[in-house]
């Protein structure tokens, strides 16, 4: 098995302890769902690629298809999916020895498929590299552990803790609250260790059953891969303990939403942080990156807040900023500058929701910063005090956000016009599907009163 010399050490260690039975060949679609095929190990070792129709990128979250195939019509031609062996990792919840391997999508002429999310992120990273820059990111993942919900008509409820009582909200950073669902967390740690992922820490957030996992900073594509894998890992750990893990932006009424804050820095060819000058001060590049986020993030909201539920998280006077102000160590601003040493100076984008596709979210955020660097955009004056007093600067609905995205020529050019076209078509169909659903609120308040 010569390919085993190309996989990460954690995957090699897993194979030393487990006979390989199956390989899951996966790729993230627009929502970030793992699509692909499970292949017997013996067959996988003999193949260099496999095929899937390009229509997997035209699917909505409900399983319908957007008319995004282009002038040739909905022919569903096969893509060529090639493994990235550096992503090989265990599936430790599987009964038999199983590896997961992320694949990259190419068309039949060998060109990257422009609307594959991993290719979108690589395109943005390559734009940075063409300037002699290397972007570095660190995502923070918030999510809820909730009771099993098999009836969509019923409200989502917090999971039952070890005390026999539902998890309580407003217990941010409580160690007792973390201990309440310790068995799930223990399995998250165990699965992560087997898969070779490094967790910086787990903390209780403000919501009932809401947790946050911080990942170490690193390469944007590698970190997006990890978030992609982590979502599955966490779901599997939760199911083992008779509960659900949800990454919805706003799963429970009256509780805080779940974000995926993204920290950014950029290093030059000599490994120096371009946000920090020789004397340790903030550089023009630092301010230009902030300016790019302020200028272009309104147009990118449709990508980092991709569902109708996403906009329920953006509530004034909550932990989810609705502004594009920037501030130092200020969690009420949409753009926060954390306390750090000069060498580790970074910029935190607090707007993305955890329901995002990690590849597309990181790509969109980096694209805004890139445009700021290239166009030397100056930011607004630093905000001092609570930024909840600032006016809302982001769209209030997915429909409005998509209108802004469709008009954003510079942002679409960075992300790729073909991707932007497909994304808008698929998301507009999702919104149309949502509008066909009559909600309990409408039945309760309109049925007999209007």
């Amino acid at each position: 098995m010569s390919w085993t010399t190309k996989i990460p050490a954690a995957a090699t260690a897993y194979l030393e302890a487990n006979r390989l039975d199956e390989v899951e060949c996966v790729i993230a679609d627009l929502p970030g769902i793992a699509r692909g095929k499970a292949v017997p190990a013996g067959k996988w070792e003999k193949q260099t690629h496999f095929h899937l129709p390009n229509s997997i990128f035209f699917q909505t979250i409900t399983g319908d298809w957007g008319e995004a195939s282009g002038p040739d019509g909905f022919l569903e031609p096969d893509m060529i999916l090639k493994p990235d062996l550096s992503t090989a990792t265990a599936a430790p919840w599987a009964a038999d020895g199983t590896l997961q391997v992320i694949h990259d999508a190419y068309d039949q002429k060998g060109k990257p498929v422009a609307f594959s999310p991993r290719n979108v992120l690589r395109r943005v990273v390559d734009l940075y590299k063409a300037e002699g820059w290397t972007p570095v990111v660190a995502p923070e993942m918030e999510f809820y552990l909730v009771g099993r919900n098999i009836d969509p008509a019923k409200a989502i409820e917090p999971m039952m803790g070890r005390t026999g009582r539902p998890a309580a909200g407003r217990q941010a950073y409580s160690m007792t609250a973390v201990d309440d669902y310790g068995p799930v967390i223990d399995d998250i740690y165990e699965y992560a260790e087997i898969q070779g992922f490094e967790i910086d820490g787990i903390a209780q957030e403000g919501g009932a059953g809401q947790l946050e996992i911080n990942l170490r900073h690193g390469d944007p594509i590698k970190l997006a891969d990890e978030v992609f894998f982590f979502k599955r890992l966490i779901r599997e750990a939760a199911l083992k303990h008779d509960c659900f893990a949800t990454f919805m932006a706003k799963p429970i009424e009256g509780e805080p939403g779940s974000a995926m804050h993204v920290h950014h820095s950029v290093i030059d060819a000599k490994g120096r942080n371009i946000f920090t000058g020789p004397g340790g001060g903030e550089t023009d590049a630092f301010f230009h990156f902030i300016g790019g986020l302020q200028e272009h993030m309104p147009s990118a909201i449709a990508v980092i807040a991709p569902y109708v539920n996403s906009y329920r998280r953006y509530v004034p006077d909550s932990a989810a900023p609705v502004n594009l102000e920037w501030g130092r160590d200020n969690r009420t601003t949409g753009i926060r500058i954390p306390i750090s040493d000069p060498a580790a100076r970074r910029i935190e984008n607090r707007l993305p929701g955890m329901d995002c596709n990690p590849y597309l979210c990181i790509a969109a955020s980096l694209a805004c910063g890139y445009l700021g660097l290239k166009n030397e955009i100056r930011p607004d004056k630093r905000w001092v005090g609570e930024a909840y007093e600032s006016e809302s600067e982001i769209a209030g609905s997915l429909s409005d956000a998509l209108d802004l995205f469709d008009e954003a020529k510079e942002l679409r050019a960075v992300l790729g016009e073909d991707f932007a076209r497909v994304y808008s078509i698929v998301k507009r169909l999702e919104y149309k599907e949502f509008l066909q659903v009559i909600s309990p609120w409408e039945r309760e308040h309109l049925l007999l009163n209007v």
Side-chain angles (χ1 to χ4, degrees):
M1 294 192 296
S2 60
W3 58 268
T4 58
T5 62
K6 302 176 183 179
I7 66 176
T12 300
Y14 176 77
L15 292 181
E16 289 173 353
N18 297 272
R19 176 183 173 275
L20 182 62
D21 181 71
E22 186 176 78
V23 178
E24 296 179 344
C25 306
V26 297
I27 188 169
D29 67 359
L30 287 193
I33 297 170
R35 305 283 181 184
K37 294 181 180 180
V39 181
K43 181 177 180 181
W44 186 81
E45 289 170 1
K46 299 174 184 177
Q47 71 179 31
T48 58
H49 62 274
F50 77 103
H51 300 111
L52 282 180
N54 69 359
S55 58
I56 67 168
F57 296 119
F58 307 154
Q59 271 192 289
T60 67
I61 194 68
T62 67
D64 202 350
W65 277 273
E67 295 294 336
S69 53
D72 293 336
F74 202 81
L75 305 180
E76 297 190 275
D78 272 339
M79 302 178 294
I80 299 170
L81 300 189
K82 299 181 181 180
D84 181 346
L85 292 177
S86 71
T87 69
T89 186
W93 49 84
D96 299 310
T98 303
L99 283 184
Q100 307 171 81
V101 181
I102 293 174
H103 286 55
D104 285 313
Y106 300 87
D107 65 20
Q108 294 175 21
K109 295 180 180 179
K111 295 181 180 179
V113 173
F115 34 80
S116 169
R118 199 169 190 250
N119 287 343
V120 174
L121 178 54
R122 180 174 285 111
R123 173 190 174 92
V124 176
V125 170
D126 286 346
L127 288 173
Y128 274 81
K129 290 183 177 179
E131 301 293 330
W133 302 325
T134 300
V136 177
V137 301
E140 299 174 353
M141 302 173 56
E142 295 178 352
F143 61 95
Y144 276 86
L145 296 175
V146 301
R148 295 180 75 95
N149 184 296
I150 58 175
D151 183 356
K154 292 185 178 180
I156 297 172
E157 297 178 348
M159 70 166 286
M160 198 69 68
R162 63 176 180 172
T163 60
R165 301 174 66 182
R170 289 166 288 283
Q171 300 297 325
Y173 304 108
S174 166
M175 297 308 300
T176 301
V178 169
D179 291 341
D180 211 22
Y181 19 86
V184 183
I185 294 175
D186 288 345
D187 279 332
I188 290 173
Y189 274 129
E190 181 181 358
Y191 289 166
E193 183 177 357
I194 292 171
Q195 292 187 250
F197 302 147
E198 187 172 356
I199 297 175
D200 247 14
I202 294 182
Q204 163 74 28
E205 273 293 331
Q210 187 184 33
L211 295 171
E212 177 181 276
I213 291 180
N214 297 332
L215 304 182
R216 273 189 67 83
H217 63 274
D219 173 76
I221 299 173
K222 181 177 182 295
L223 267 297
D225 289 340
E226 288 192 13
V227 174
F228 172 65
F229 277 137
F230 254 108
K231 282 190 171 184
R232 188 178 188 194
L233 175 165
I234 293 167
R235 286 193 181 102
E236 291 290 341
L239 287 171
K240 183 178 176 182
H241 296 278
D242 200 36
C243 63
F244 287 173
T246 180
F247 302 94
M248 286 176 64
K250 188 78 167 182
I252 303 177
E253 293 181 22
E255 297 289 348
S258 290
M260 192 183 85
H261 302 151
V262 183
H263 295 246
H264 307 77
S265 57
V266 182
I267 60 176
D268 64 17
K270 295 182 178 179
R272 298 173 299 199
N273 188 339
I274 71 170
F275 293 163
T276 298
E282 294 159 343
T283 62
D284 286 340
F286 170 80
F287 291 106
H288 293 157
F289 195 101
I290 295 172
L293 290 175
Q294 288 187 323
E295 178 77 19
H296 294 283
M297 190 51 60
S299 301
I301 289 294
V303 180
I304 70 169
Y307 303 104
V308 289
N309 179 262
S310 308
Y311 298 83
R312 300 187 188 279
R313 174 177 157 262
Y314 295 128
V315 178
D317 300 316
S318 73
V322 295
N323 63 76
L324 288 163
E325 307 293 350
W326 74 278
R328 302 186 192 281
D329 196 24
N330 185 342
R331 286 182 169 84
T332 69
T333 56
I335 303 165
R336 172 176 172 260
I337 311 305
I339 297 173
S340 70
D341 295 331
R345 182 168 283 122
R346 60 195 186 274
I347 298 166
E348 178 187 8
N349 184 352
R350 294 178 60 79
L351 294 171
M354 194 59 237
D355 55 347
C356 68
N357 178 314
Y359 299 101
L360 298 181
C361 172
I362 294 171
S365 195
L366 285 173
C368 294
Y370 172 82
L371 288 170
L373 292 169
K374 287 289 289 181
N375 297 332
E376 299 184 351
I377 301 172
R378 297 296 299 182
D380 295 338
K381 184 178 179 181
R382 174 171 66 96
W383 188 273
V384 178
E386 289 192 11
Y388 297 135
E389 300 173 4
S390 175
E391 293 183 4
S392 176
E393 298 175 86
I394 61 175
S397 71
L398 178 60
S399 178
D400 291 344
L402 286 169
D403 287 344
L404 292 174
F405 180 68
D406 286 347
E407 297 167 0
K409 293 182 180 180
E410 285 189 292
L411 178 66
R412 291 167 68 96
V414 173
L415 297 175
E417 188 58 44
D418 207 20
F419 157 73
R421 176 188 63 84
V422 169
Y423 187 84
S424 183
I425 290 171
V426 171
K427 288 299 166 181
R428 286 191 183 279
L429 177 57
E430 282 184 357
Y431 187 68
K432 181 180 178 181
E433 292 170 330
F434 170 77
L435 290 179
Q436 296 173 16
V437 177
I438 308 302
S439 70
W441 185 95
E442 292 166 278
R443 290 191 289 270
E444 179 178 353
H445 296 290
L446 303 183
L447 180 65
L448 299 177
N449 292 332
V450 298

